[in-house]
Amino acid sequence: MGKGQSVIQYFEASFKTSNRFRRLMLICTLIVLIAGFSSDAQQSLTLNIKDVYQYARNNYPLINQRGLIIKAAEFTVSNAAKGYFPMLSVNGQATYQSTVTSFPFTLPLPGFSVPKYGKDQYKIYGQIDQVIYDGGMIGNQKQMAKTTAKIQEQSLEVDLYQLYDRVNQLFFGVILLNEQLKQNELVLRDIQNGIDKAKALVANGVAYRSSVDELMAQKLQTEQARVELKATRKAYMEMLSQFINLALNENTVFEKPISPVLTGEFNRPELLLYNYQQNIYDDQKSLLNAQLRPRFFFFLQGGYARPGLNMLSNDFAWYYIGGLKLSWNLGSLYTYGNQKKILEINKTMIDLQKETFLFNMGLIQKQQQIFISKFTELLKNDEAIIKLRESVKKASAAQLENGVLSAHDYISVVNAEDQARQNFILHQIQMLQEQYNYQNTMGNTIN
């Protein structure tokens, strides 16, 4: 391949100048390369904790409720707004009266005939009512629909927020197992190094074969531990895969998170939910006030009746009538005071729930702060212990090579250093997980 020549250009040139067999080989090679590129692309999945949070939210079935809540709120607000539309009603009645209007004179008057009304009367009519002033009823109904939708959406957010604790357990579980596998590989190298040195001593006649056998047995035990670690990691990854709806395998890269900046301010979604719940009681109070106000309408009525509007005629006749109408229901005054007290009690109960929630979260916060401080101190000691154990291991490796240290003692030294490193790994991941749990407790997980 010439300088500056691309892979595709190289294959095109070779394809034109080669015989049939070489062309076939070039096609196969190209297919293998494309498959390799595709495989590398599939295996390059990298996950960080924030991405996993978002994948888990988007994949959780409950998230589909958000669209339904929004649609329901839109329909409810639309229905309330239609209260401003003209209202059409059709009515009819047929009655029989015990008496009807009669005139006190019986003598005929010049140019005037006395009508005689029937005791059976009929009326069918349609009426249009158009609201002019409703006292704020429709506006309050629309506002209550919007606030109710906010409560439902925020309640959904509270449910979704519970996912983060479960994601933390799985994600940091995989991170811990990955680190333990790395440490397991280092231990295997140390043991193999000891085996190589013990074999050399056996070959020179300064050590027994049992030393090699003991190191080989320890290597097998370490490999068994590796099998268990991989199986546990696979189980964690399968559960996490179900949460985020992504295929995960051994080649998936899990980015080890950095320590977050911890703050003492609560931003939990429950707090906003409590605020919305109090707002709905404010809306209900406004609705109570609106019910006390008068309502004004314009109306138009038209129909067919006997008698009609002409009281001097007993014939069927068409008629219409229009004008303004006042409606003022004062019956709600009887319960107004008690209803207001009930709303205030409900708001106080929400305040108590919010106060209780913050109290409980405060206890968890203090406990997590203590755990984070504990792991910080433990890590300092772990680092010092590892340095000492590493120094002892180097000296023991030299002693084993010179035949002045038994394989059993060397294994003990290697295991001691391994335990020190395992403790460091465990404490480091535990502190990271506790820090992110703290973030979750404070409500800063997705910030």
Side-chain angles (χ1 to χ4, degrees), residues 341-404:
K341 291 177 182 178
I342 290 173
L343 293 177
E344 291 300 325
I345 290 172
N346 289 335
K347 288 189 67 174
T348 302
M349 290 175 65
I350 296 298
D351 284 333
L352 292 175
Q353 292 176 14
K354 182 178 180 179
E355 185 179 347
T356 302
F357 175 78
L358 289 174
F359 177 80
N360 291 331
M361 288 297 101
L363 293 178
I364 297 174
Q365 177 195 18
K366 295 297 182 184
Q367 186 181 36
Q368 290 174 336
Q369 287 174 337
I370 292 172
F371 285 156
I372 292 171
S373 298
K374 178 188 75 172
F375 290 129
T376 302
E377 293 298 321
L378 288 175
L379 285 171
K380 291 179 182 178
N381 293 332
D382 287 336
E383 290 176 347
I385 293 171
I386 287 173
K387 289 181 181 179
L388 294 173
R389 292 296 184 187
E390 187 177 11
S391 176
V392 173
K393 186 191 70 175
K394 289 180 180 179
S396 298
Q399 291 173 355
L400 177 67
E401 187 175 8
N402 294 325
V404 296

Side-chain angles (χ1 to χ4, degrees), residues 176-372:
L176 175 61
L177 290 164
N178 284 339
E179 296 296 323
Q180 289 177 332
L181 283 167
K182 291 179 184 178
Q183 176 57 26
N184 179 271
E185 186 176 352
L186 294 177
V187 174
L188 282 174
R189 290 178 185 176
D190 288 337
I191 294 175
Q192 184 61 50
N193 183 41
I195 291 173
D196 294 339
K197 292 176 179 179
K199 284 182 177 179
L201 292 174
V202 171
N204 293 328
V206 294
Y208 294 105
R209 178 67 190 178
S210 59
S211 297
V212 177
D213 292 341
E214 188 170 4
L215 288 167
M216 288 294 293
Q218 184 63 33
K219 181 181 178 182
L220 291 174
Q221 289 180 359
T222 306
E223 288 175 346
Q224 282 182 333
R226 187 172 188 81
V227 171
E228 291 180 356
L229 289 172
K230 284 187 173 183
T232 305
R233 183 181 66 175
K234 183 179 179 181
Y236 272 73
M237 291 176 67
E238 286 180 353
M239 287 188 287
L240 186 59
S241 177
Q242 293 294 321
F243 264 97
I244 66 177
N245 194 30
L246 286 177
L248 307 178
N249 53 44
E250 292 185 355
N251 297 310
T252 303
V253 178
F254 288 80
E255 288 186 0
K256 187 173 168 181
I258 61 174
S259 296
V261 178
L262 305 181
T263 63
E265 182 180 358
F266 283 101
N267 293 310
R268 293 279 298 210
E270 290 88 346
L271 300 180
L272 193 54
L273 176 60
Y274 291 135
N275 292 340
Y276 288 150
Q277 288 174 338
Q278 288 189 328
N279 290 343
I280 196 69
Y281 294 125
D282 292 333
D283 294 341
Q284 290 177 356
K285 183 177 179 181
S286 297
L287 189 61
L288 278 178
N289 294 329
Q291 290 173 350
L292 293 176
R293 301 187 186 109
R295 304 172 71 189
F296 293 92
F297 300 86
F298 169 80
F299 78 96
L300 177 64
Q301 183 184 117
Y304 189 65
R306 193 191 77 174
L309 297 182
N310 184 2
M311 298 302 297
L312 298 179
S313 173
N314 193 42
D315 297 329
F316 280 96
W318 293 99
Y319 76 94
Y320 71 88
I321 183 173
L324 298 177
K325 183 169 61 174
L326 167 68
S327 175
W328 197 352
N329 181 10
L330 300 177
S332 56
L333 282 172
Y334 300 122
T335 59
Y336 178 75
N338 287 338
Q339 289 292 339
K340 281 187 63 178
K341 291 177 182 178
I342 290 173
L343 293 177
E344 291 300 325
I345 290 172
N346 289 335
K347 288 189 67 174
T348 302
M349 290 175 65
I350 296 298
D351 284 333
L352 292 175
Q353 292 176 14
K354 182 178 180 179
E355 185 179 347
T356 302
F357 175 78
L358 289 174
F359 177 80
N360 291 331
M361 288 297 101
L363 293 178
I364 297 174
Q365 177 195 18
K366 295 297 182 184
Q367 186 181 36
Q368 290 174 336
Q369 287 174 337
I370 292 172
F371 285 156
I372 292 171

Side-chain angles (χ1 to χ4, degrees), residues 15 107 110 115 138 144 149 166-167 249 306 379 433:
F15 190 80
L107 295 176
I138 295 174
M144 283 188 62
R166 300 163 75 180
V167 168
N249 53 44
R306 193 191 77 174
L379 285 171
Q433 183 173 350

